[in-house]
Amino acid sequence: MEAKLGEFDLIWRFFKAGSESMAQTQINRVLLGIGDDCALLQSDATQSLAVTSDMLVEGRHFFAGANAEWLGHKALAVNLSDLAAMGAKPVGFTLALALPNANADWLAQFSQGLFRLAQQWQCPLIGGDTTQGPLTICITALGHVPAGSAIKRSGAKTGDDIWVSGTLGDARLALGALRKEWSLNPSSLETVLPRMHEPEPRIALGMQLRGIANSALDVSDGLLGDLRHILKASQVNAEVLIDQLPASRTLAEQTQDLRRQCAANGGDDYELCFTAPASKRMEVESLSTALLPLTRIGSITSASNGAEPELILRDANGNPLTNADSMRLTQSFDHFKST
Amino acid sequence: MEAKLGEFDLIWRFFKAGSESMAQTQINRVLLGIGDDCALLQSDATQSLAVTSDMLVEGRHFFAGANAEWLGHKALAVNLSDLAAMGAKPVGFTLALALPNANADWLAQFSQGLFRLAQQWQCPLIGGDTTQGPLTICITALGHVPAGSAIKRSGAKTGDDIWVSGTLGDARLALGALRKEWSLNPSSLETVLPRMHEPEPRIALGMQLRGIANSALDVSDGLLGDLRHILKASQVNAEVLIDQLPASRTLAEQTQDLRRQCAANGGDDYELCFTAPASKRMEVESLSTALLPLTRIGSITSASNGAEPELILRDANGNPLTNADSMRLTQSFDHFKST
């Protein structure tokens, strides 16, 4: 449930105005509307319901003829990743599916990928719709989170550490190789392809971050662009150590430029980026040992006081990147982003 | 959230198997999975959450170049109609939208139709997704219903009256005229077109039917086909007085054959069909006076005891239709159905 960049960002702002006027009249039921990873509805006194929808379109979010098993996995994974970013536990999902035709082999593979992930997180398919049309997959996932415990984008505080889970950039590295933007040897490609095709939603981590993280989101459109959503929602400035971004061995072997671009702007990572007070550092490090590696990549430096948030990038020596380098990394997003 | 007929019905059954095995392990949270107008999730001790998703695809559910304001209305209306069929009160909805391009005029019209209906039922847009692609609209609507009060398809009892709200067949009459399947004079067409373009979800009726109706669904694919869903889910047989089906003045002026086909099989009516014990007849008639006309069209005659349910059609004199006539009405569905 990301606002997309470029012209589609404008579209979404269009709907946001209509939404907000009405949501305010229902303040007791709609706790959080458009603009975070999930919407939050009041479920009862002890629990909130997190809701997220994502639509995947052939030719835009995946290649025509894409492996149906991966597609079934990914369509659910991107939604579960939004639940994870709020600290929510999956409850169930609906599936709306437009298909050009009913191909039994395709359906068998698609549902295998879909249900394997659903089973892993005990998140049953509860309903939906099928129709004929250009291949389009729309999943709406529902999750529960204890009342008041959802992790929003708007909670980052000055002094917070900025953390990211797992490694970044492999999905983009794989996509670029498939698109022949750069070359990658076959064994390296094989290593990074699963990150593009079968992302793992960080559900367990998200649930553990309740009470630890002040803010979080899932990295779907590239770390720096997504981190800006936190900075805007929280009205804070930040510094990021660009060469601290966690990379797989395969990505680490690439040129500095490619490594930085993929890790900072890649898209399709589905890792969690979160901020937490420095006082929680030991708790985060325990999670890093218990669940999956978590890397401290920077900090929230100050309040932005209503101005456009500043995001300063520093190199391995702690020096700010040159304006030109920084601009390339923070503004080349549209050009460089994953489909 | 209808299972579609034909090959797409098969698809849905495919997913249903995977869904059911898992939903059973979560029986406390998923009260009702695939196969009704909405799924039901336990919200708290006093309330259930109804969830429904519908996807509309250009060229299949609406003509290319369709009026965007009508489309915005209809995309939400078909989902609210599913909530109505369960007796649920709308809480909010997500919108996932694929658009070939970002046309400001189109968006202004679309959101006007969408938000006018949303406002009418205090059902805010709470989130979603926009992307580029062939025009596709997927809405997931959420509603609340007091625990144990949701009206399911499976509750029809022997002796129940069968009722339908409003009038049937106008949307199909309009569609056929636009498709030149038959001719209709311009003023008649103008009268029935709004039933095709701007269906009114019967939310208020659905909520009032809690505690009165034993079963209900919304008539989206044609009355007789949809009524069969109730008969199957409830394992009962029924009789319907085919010439009792409520028709607008415009439809009543058509030939008997066209009138019967449109009213019995038309599709896109978005009226509620429900069953209620004969002892509740006065309560239903009060609703008919207070809200909108409700017509008694038949009755649930007996249990089907596991066999394929029987649906007997009778003419104005109470005589069963000839086999040929009956077959035409109950089996010509695929040929005759709305897109």
Side-chain angles (χ1 to χ4, degrees):
Chain A
M1 205 175 83
E2 292 294 314
K4 294 296 184 288
L5 296 183
E7 63 174 348
F8 283 86
D9 193 27
L10 296 175
I11 295 174
W12 200 241
R13 280 184 216 143
F14 205 94
F15 288 114
K16 197 170 173 178
S19 164
E20 281 175 352
S21 61
M22 215 180 309
Q24 281 165 7
T25 68
Q26 303 219 335
I27 195 75
N28 290 327
R29 291 192 288 167
V30 181
L31 304 174
L32 185 65
I34 291 176
D36 215 306
D37 292 275
C38 298
L40 289 174
L41 295 178
Q42 189 172 21
S43 189
D44 60 35
T46 63
Q47 218 169 217
S48 300
L49 185 78
V51 186
T52 182
S53 287
D54 273 286
M55 184 181 263
L56 303 186
V57 178
E58 185 178 66
R60 180 152 182 94
H61 300 94
F62 53 92
F63 296 116
N67 177 301
E69 189 177 339
W70 290 339
L71 210 51
H73 174 100
K74 189 163 178 176
L76 181 57
V78 301
N79 281 283
L80 295 187
S81 182
D82 282 323
L83 293 182
M86 306 295 288
K89 183 177 184 189
V91 173
F93 69 101
T94 62
L95 167 69
L97 188 60
L99 290 172
N101 53 58
N103 178 314
D105 286 345
W106 190 94
L107 281 162
Q109 288 168 37
F110 179 83
S111 56
Q112 189 172 344
L114 183 79
F115 284 120
R116 192 170 48 216
L117 182 62
Q119 193 90 50
Q120 185 183 343
W121 296 107
Q122 285 297 300
C123 180
L125 174 65
I126 56 172
D129 196 13
T130 55
T131 185
Q132 196 178 23
L135 182 54
T136 306
I137 309 159
C138 182
I139 285 182
T140 299
L142 306 173
H144 276 150
V145 59
S149 299
I151 309 166
K152 304 177 190 173
R153 297 180 174 186
S154 57
K157 303 271 184 299
T158 299
D160 276 6
D161 296 326
I162 304 173
W163 297 84
V164 72
S165 66
T167 62
L168 299 170
D170 278 1
R172 187 64 183 87
L173 184 64
L175 179 68
L178 295 180
R179 281 185 181 164
K180 310 220 183 294
E181 294 174 69
W182 47 75
S183 65
L184 206 58
N185 67 57
S187 75
S188 293
L189 181 59
E190 202 176 328
T191 312
V192 291
L193 268 178
R195 290 302 306 265
M196 177 180 166
H197 291 312
E198 299 191 286
E200 290 179 43
R202 304 306 190 188
I203 302 278
L205 174 62
M207 288 168 64
Q208 291 292 331
L209 287 176
R210 297 175 194 156
I212 294 177
N214 280 335
S215 68
L217 48 57
D218 75 319
V219 182
S220 55
D221 292 332
L223 176 75
L224 295 185
D226 285 335
L227 178 57
R228 278 195 178 278
H229 295 312
I230 286 185
L231 303 188
K232 276 194 176 175
S234 302
Q235 302 208 31
V236 290
N237 303 312
E239 285 188 358
V240 164
L241 300 168
I242 197 73
D243 295 314
Q244 218 91 300
L245 299 185
S248 68
R249 184 174 300 186
T250 306
L251 184 58
E253 287 166 356
Q254 310 304 314
T255 64
Q256 185 193 60
D257 187 54
L258 184 56
R259 197 174 70 229
R260 283 181 172 177
Q261 285 285 10
C262 286
N265 281 323
D268 260 7
D269 295 309
Y270 301 104
E271 295 294 351
L272 297 188
C273 172
F274 60 97
T275 77
S279 61
K280 304 273 188 187
R281 220 171 265 179
M282 276 184 61
E283 291 175 61
V284 177
E285 280 162 3
S286 299
L287 290 179
S288 178
T289 310
L291 288 176
L292 81 165
L294 304 174
T295 306
R296 190 151 50 89
I297 60 167
S299 59
I300 304 294
T301 50
S302 55
S304 64
N305 296 319
E308 182 68 17
E310 272 184 2
L311 177 54
I312 293 172
L313 305 181
R314 295 188 186 275
D315 66 16
N317 302 316
N319 297 318
L321 262 57
T322 63
N323 270 347
D325 280 352
S326 187
M327 291 276 281
R328 275 201 69 214
L329 280 175
T330 55
Q331 300 198 346
S332 62
F333 188 81
D334 261 340
H335 163 68
F336 211 79
K337 85 188 269 284
S338 142
T339 45
Chain B
M1 204 176 87
E2 289 298 312
K4 294 293 182 288
L5 296 184
E7 60 174 351
F8 283 85
D9 194 27
L10 297 175
I11 295 174
W12 201 239
R13 279 183 219 147
F14 206 95
F15 288 113
K16 196 169 172 176
S19 164
E20 280 176 350
S21 62
M22 216 181 308
Q24 280 166 6
T25 68
Q26 304 219 334
I27 195 74
N28 290 326
R29 292 191 287 166
V30 180
L31 304 173
L32 186 64
I34 292 176
D36 214 307
D37 292 276
C38 298
L40 289 175
L41 295 179
Q42 189 170 21
S43 188
D44 60 37
T46 64
Q47 216 169 220
S48 300
L49 184 79
V51 185
T52 181
S53 288
D54 272 288
M55 186 181 261
L56 303 186
V57 178
E58 184 178 67
R60 179 150 183 95
H61 301 95
F62 54 91
F63 294 118
N67 177 302
E69 189 177 339
W70 290 339
L71 210 50
H73 174 100
K74 190 164 177 175
L76 181 57
V78 301
N79 281 283
L80 296 186
S81 182
D82 283 323
L83 293 183
M86 305 295 289
K89 183 179 181 183
V91 173
F93 69 102
T94 63
L95 167 69
L97 186 61
L99 290 172
N101 52 56
N103 178 313
D105 286 347
W106 191 92
L107 281 162
Q109 289 167 38
F110 179 82
S111 56
Q112 190 172 341
L114 181 79
F115 283 121
R116 194 170 47 219
L117 182 63
Q119 193 89 50
Q120 186 184 342
W121 296 107
Q122 287 295 301
C123 181
L125 174 65
I126 55 172
D129 196 13
T130 54
T131 187
Q132 197 179 22
L135 183 53
T136 306
I137 307 160
C138 182
I139 284 182
T140 300
L142 306 173
H144 276 149
V145 60
S149 300
I151 310 164
K152 304 176 190 173
R153 297 179 176 187
S154 56
K157 303 270 183 301
T158 300
D160 276 6
D161 297 325
I162 304 173
W163 298 83
V164 72
S165 65
T167 62
L168 298 169
D170 278 0
R172 187 64 183 86
L173 184 64
L175 179 68
L178 294 180
R179 281 185 179 164
K180 310 220 183 293
E181 293 174 69
W182 46 76
S183 64
L184 205 59
N185 67 56
S187 73
S188 293
L189 180 59
E190 201 176 330
T191 312
V192 292
L193 267 180
R195 291 301 307 267
M196 177 180 167
H197 292 312
E198 300 191 285
E200 290 179 43
R202 303 306 189 190
I203 302 279
L205 174 62
M207 289 167 64
Q208 292 292 331
L209 287 175
R210 297 173 194 159
I212 295 177
N214 280 335
S215 69
L217 48 55
D218 76 319
V219 182
S220 54
D221 292 332
L223 176 75
L224 295 184
D226 285 334
L227 178 57
R228 278 196 178 276
H229 294 311
I230 286 184
L231 303 187
K232 275 194 176 177
S234 302
Q235 302 208 34
V236 290
N237 303 313
E239 285 190 358
V240 164
L241 301 167
I242 198 71
D243 295 314
Q244 216 91 301
L245 300 186
S248 68
R249 184 175 301 185
T250 305
L251 184 59
E253 286 166 357
Q254 310 304 314
T255 63
Q256 184 193 61
D257 187 54
L258 184 56
R259 197 174 71 229
R260 283 181 171 179
Q261 285 283 10
C262 287
N265 281 324
D268 259 6
D269 295 308
Y270 301 104
E271 295 293 351
L272 297 188
C273 173
F274 60 96
T275 77
S279 61
K280 304 272 188 187
R281 220 172 266 180
M282 277 185 62
E283 292 174 62
V284 177
E285 280 162 3
S286 300
L287 291 179
S288 179
T289 309
L291 288 175
L292 82 165
L294 304 174
T295 306
R296 191 151 49 91
I297 60 167
S299 59
I300 303 295
T301 51
S302 54
S304 63
N305 296 322
E308 183 68 17
E310 272 185 1
L311 175 54
I312 294 172
L313 305 181
R314 294 189 185 276
D315 66 16
N317 301 317
N319 296 321
L321 262 57
T322 64
N323 270 348
D325 280 351
S326 186
M327 291 277 279
R328 277 202 66 216
L329 280 176
T330 55
Q331 301 199 346
S332 61
F333 188 81
D334 262 340
H335 162 69
F336 211 77
K337 85 187 270 281
S338 143
T339 48

